[in-house]
Amino acid sequence: MAVRRIKLNGKEVRADYQSVVSGTAESSEQLLHWLREQHGQIGPKFGCGISQCGACTVLVDGAITRSCVTQVHTVVERAEVRTLDGLSKKNDHPLQKAFVELQAGQCGFCLNGMVMGVLGWLEERMRNRNRTVPTQAEIKDFLSGGADRSKPNYLCRCGTHYRIVAAVEKAAKEMLR
Ligand code: FES
Ligand code: FES
């Protein structure tokens, strides 16, 4: 099927998976570019392009996804894609409010990844019936990719790491209330 329906931030959109070059082969277009260039989603950012920094993070059917290395044709029919752009109408999701209130971050470029990654992580905990607020150690472990480096990390070089951890903790308290 060359065209599939995808729910992007709650709205149905169509994705053409055919390569414009061959007309038949599956397109190699990355989800990040499709979101930014065809659907005006400016939340996900191009950082490293090789799944190392997290700036491009979105949620696909609730799964934390690095959109810079995810080809659009791998997104299944009726998948739900969520980006930072659709998180709230007035930028007042608990995560957004906490990051702003605590001034967690300076350049802002990396924040998309941290907010969407943490959102996916907290929602997964809730789906697994874990409604405890994560400890600071758990938050650090999540953001740094875990001690064994097997999980993706979120890069931020601005030096506001303590505020970021505090913002995640504050938001989690509100989300899990
Ligand atoms: S841009 Fe995707 S992980 Fe860095
Ligand atoms: S928010 Fe971009 S380097 Fe920290």
Side-chain angles (χ1 to χ4, degrees):
M1 191 191 300
V3 177
R4 288 178 206 164
R5 284 161 294 184
I6 289 177
K7 219 173 213 182
L8 173 57
N9 293 328
K11 250 175 85 181
E12 188 173 292
V13 295
R14 288 177 175 263
D16 187 346
Y17 293 102
Q18 264 179 7
S19 162
V20 285
V21 181
S22 71
T24 52
E26 285 167 335
S27 165
S28 60
E29 185 177 23
Q30 304 297 348
L31 181 60
L32 174 64
H33 300 300
W34 182 78
L35 286 168
R36 287 185 61 87
E37 287 151 31
Q38 296 198 37
H39 294 284
Q41 304 296 297
I42 57 171
K45 303 282 195 289
F46 183 91
C48 62
I50 52 170
S51 193
Q52 296 292 306
C53 71
C56 64
T57 303
V58 299
L59 302 183
V60 178
D61 283 336
I64 298 169
T65 302
R66 303 229 144 158
S67 62
C68 70
V69 290
T70 302
Q71 295 189 346
V72 186
H73 75 79
T74 64
V75 180
V76 298
E77 168 83 357
R78 295 201 181 277
E80 289 204 36
V81 177
R82 292 159 68 199
T83 71
L84 182 62
D85 308 74
L87 190 52
S88 64
K89 286 205 166 66
K90 296 182 181 163
N91 295 331
D92 57 357
H93 184 280
L95 276 166
Q96 290 168 301
K97 281 195 302 187
F99 270 78
V100 171
E101 275 167 29
L102 299 183
Q103 291 289 287
Q106 287 177 9
C107 83
F109 195 87
C110 336
L111 295 184
N112 168 80
M114 285 180 264
V115 170
M116 294 310 288
V118 167
L119 178 70
W121 177 52
L122 293 177
E123 287 185 349
E124 188 187 10
R125 286 169 67 99
M126 288 189 254
R127 279 197 299 279
N128 293 335
R129 298 177 197 283
N130 180 356
R131 296 193 66 86
T132 58
V133 174
T135 62
Q136 294 208 346
E138 285 176 315
I139 295 168
K140 285 181 200 168
D141 191 55
F142 172 76
L143 290 170
S144 66
D148 61 4
R149 315 302 296 169
S150 63
K151 289 179 269 163
N153 63 333
Y154 298 85
L155 284 184
C156 167
R157 297 182 184 85
C158 67
T160 53
H161 299 88
Y162 285 104
R163 290 193 206 169
I164 290 168
V165 172
V168 172
E169 192 179 23
K170 183 175 165 69
K173 280 182 187 155
E174 195 177 329
M175 288 170 69
L176 295 164
R177 221 174 16 202

